[in-house]
Amino acid sequence: MVLDLDACIDSLFQRQLLAESVIREICEKTKELLMSESNVVHVSAPVTVVGDIHGQFYDLLEIFKIGGYCPDTNYLFLGDYVDRGLYSVETMSILTCLKLRYPDRVQLVRGNHESRAVTQTYGFYTECMKKYGSAQVWHYFTDLFDYLTLSVVIDNMIFCVHGGLSPSIHTIDQIKVMDRFKEIPHEGPMADLVWSDPDPGREEFAVSPRGAGYTFGSLVVEKFLHENGMDHILRAHQLCMEGFQVLFDDQLSTVWSAPNYCYRCGNLASILEVGIHGERHFNVFEAAPENERPSPSEAQRTGLDSGQDAIHYFL
């Protein structure tokens, strides 16, 4: 049977799960596609950049309503598609289908949650088991994660990554020669790209309180941009209550796309529209109505019940 991607996408927009056999085929075909992509994918504006989604599928549907549907809008997703939210399977399914259907219009960057170790703890593994009765779908997607690119450059001017910079990486060319086809290591330059965070109170690198990656300051950003002939760093990875944050004299931006994170943080979210002349516009939005709070049974199933007070958004 020939894979009908348009039918798969339509089903997902109707909130219907794909069959396990279909997900297996989609993941295999997407791996073949991603294998040919560089660790640094170059794209041209206009492009709409999306930060962390974390399984908040209804908010992803809201993003398409706000930003436009593929292929009319070019999309760059900066990782952390899964965990925390209730619909990681649906989120990964539709993004994978869209990447396969419109490979030049959709870019998928790897985040720190696109990892076997992290997804076993923060929800995706459990969700796959609940929805499919086995771990096979989890295996298909986590194998696919190893093929996701590590970074994107927009018009040779904006460096896009999930987390941040690394003391081991000075030039874009160093990223291009890394071996990305593996589980994210606990340390080293690949881990730093998906785990690191900017710190407006620092100038240089410092140990990260996350336990992985580094924090980095203004001088690190300035040096990296100068060394690579660029003018901006765009990343995700950190909850922003206003949906975005701009630091270091407009040299670095964080875009966060999961509104009301964990269904109770009350934060706004945004997508970032990059225009053909390099202009940047944050389109801020609130949680989709269906996504404002899970049902009691769903909350209990995913550990998002009221008895779990702390929200560890550090991950």
Side-chain angles (χ1 to χ4, degrees):
M1 180 183 290
V2 177
L3 179 63
D4 188 341
L5 282 172
D6 289 329
C8 291
I9 293 167
D10 287 343
S11 294
L12 289 161
F13 272 113
Q14 297 301 317
R15 285 77 159 167
Q16 298 171 1
L17 287 172
L18 300 180
E20 181 181 312
S21 59
V22 175
I23 290 180
R24 181 182 67 241
E25 185 175 359
I26 287 168
C27 286
E28 287 302 316
K29 289 182 179 297
T30 306
K31 284 193 292 186
E32 293 174 13
L33 172 67
L34 294 174
M35 192 179 296
S36 64
E37 287 192 349
S38 169
N39 294 343
V40 185
V41 175
H42 287 261
V43 302
S44 300
V47 61
T48 296
V49 185
V50 182
D52 293 33
I53 300 168
H54 281 298
Q56 297 186 197
F57 181 67
Y58 288 97
D59 293 314
L60 176 59
L61 299 184
E62 193 74 7
I63 286 170
F64 290 128
K65 292 178 186 176
I66 295 167
Y69 293 91
C70 299
D72 298 326
T73 299
N74 299 320
Y75 276 101
L76 163 56
F77 294 89
L78 291 180
D80 277 14
Y81 313 112
V82 299
D83 289 338
R84 305 294 193 185
L86 298 171
Y87 308 101
S88 293
V89 169
E90 291 89 337
T91 299
M92 266 314 298
S93 296
I94 199 165
L95 291 178
T96 305
C97 285
L98 289 171
K99 174 63 181 177
L100 199 54
R101 180 66 177 84
Y102 308 109
D104 297 324
R105 298 279 188 175
V106 176
Q107 308 301 332
L108 302 177
V109 171
R110 192 173 191 175
N112 61 301
H113 276 260
E114 278 68 67
S115 149
R116 294 169 185 82
V118 175
T119 54
Q120 286 185 71
T121 303
Y122 291 97
F124 186 41
Y125 177 86
T126 302
E127 182 184 328
C128 290
M129 291 292 293
K130 292 277 187 180
K131 292 179 177 177
Y132 287 94
S134 77
Q136 279 304 312
V137 166
W138 178 79
H139 282 295
Y140 298 147
F141 279 126
T142 52
D143 287 350
L144 172 65
F145 291 162
D146 290 346
Y147 290 76
L148 295 173
T149 190
L150 299 175
S151 63
V152 168
V153 173
I154 303 173
D155 288 334
N156 295 320
M157 297 304 292
I158 303 175
F159 176 69
C160 307
V161 68
H162 176 71
L165 302 179
S166 169
S168 303
I169 297 172
H170 308 291
T171 67
I172 299 293
D173 288 342
Q174 288 176 282
I175 301 174
K176 291 180 178 179
V177 298
M178 290 168 53
D179 173 20
R180 78 172 191 266
F181 300 102
K182 59 185 178 182
E183 173 74 339
I184 299 170
H186 294 295
E187 58 185 13
M190 182 173 170
D192 298 342
L193 291 173
V194 301
W195 279 101
S196 293
D197 299 292
D199 184 346
R202 293 188 177 275
E203 293 185 340
E204 300 290 351
F205 284 103
V207 175
S208 173
R210 292 183 187 265
Y214 292 84
T215 61
F216 56 95
S218 57
L219 291 182
V220 172
V221 170
E222 188 175 326
K223 184 176 180 180
F224 182 86
L225 291 173
H226 176 76
E227 186 81 18
N228 292 281
M230 298 185 184
D231 61 19
H232 200 78
I233 295 171
L234 179 55
R235 42 91 64 180
H237 192 44
Q238 276 180 303
L239 171 64
C240 303
M241 292 305 294
E242 301 304 317
F244 68 94
Q245 185 178 38
V246 180
L247 296 174
F248 308 135
D249 295 324
D250 199 26
Q251 291 186 314
L252 180 145
S253 296
T254 298
V255 56
W256 179 267
S257 303
N260 194 27
Y261 182 42
C262 289
Y263 307 105
R264 59 181 175 175
C265 276
N267 60 285
L268 296 172
S270 74
I271 53 178
L272 177 58
E273 296 163 351
V274 180
I276 57 174
H277 302 296
E279 65 274 20
R280 287 173 268 116
H281 170 68
F282 287 98
N283 202 333
V284 178
F285 63 98
E286 298 179 340
E290 303 100 316
N291 207 23
E292 287 176 355
R293 186 165 294 276
S295 68
S297 60
E298 287 178 315
Q300 187 175 22
R301 174 176 64 81
T302 57
L304 294 173
D305 59 299
S306 58
Q308 186 182 24
D309 291 329
I311 298 174
H312 301 290
Y313 58 79
F314 245 26
L315 285 173

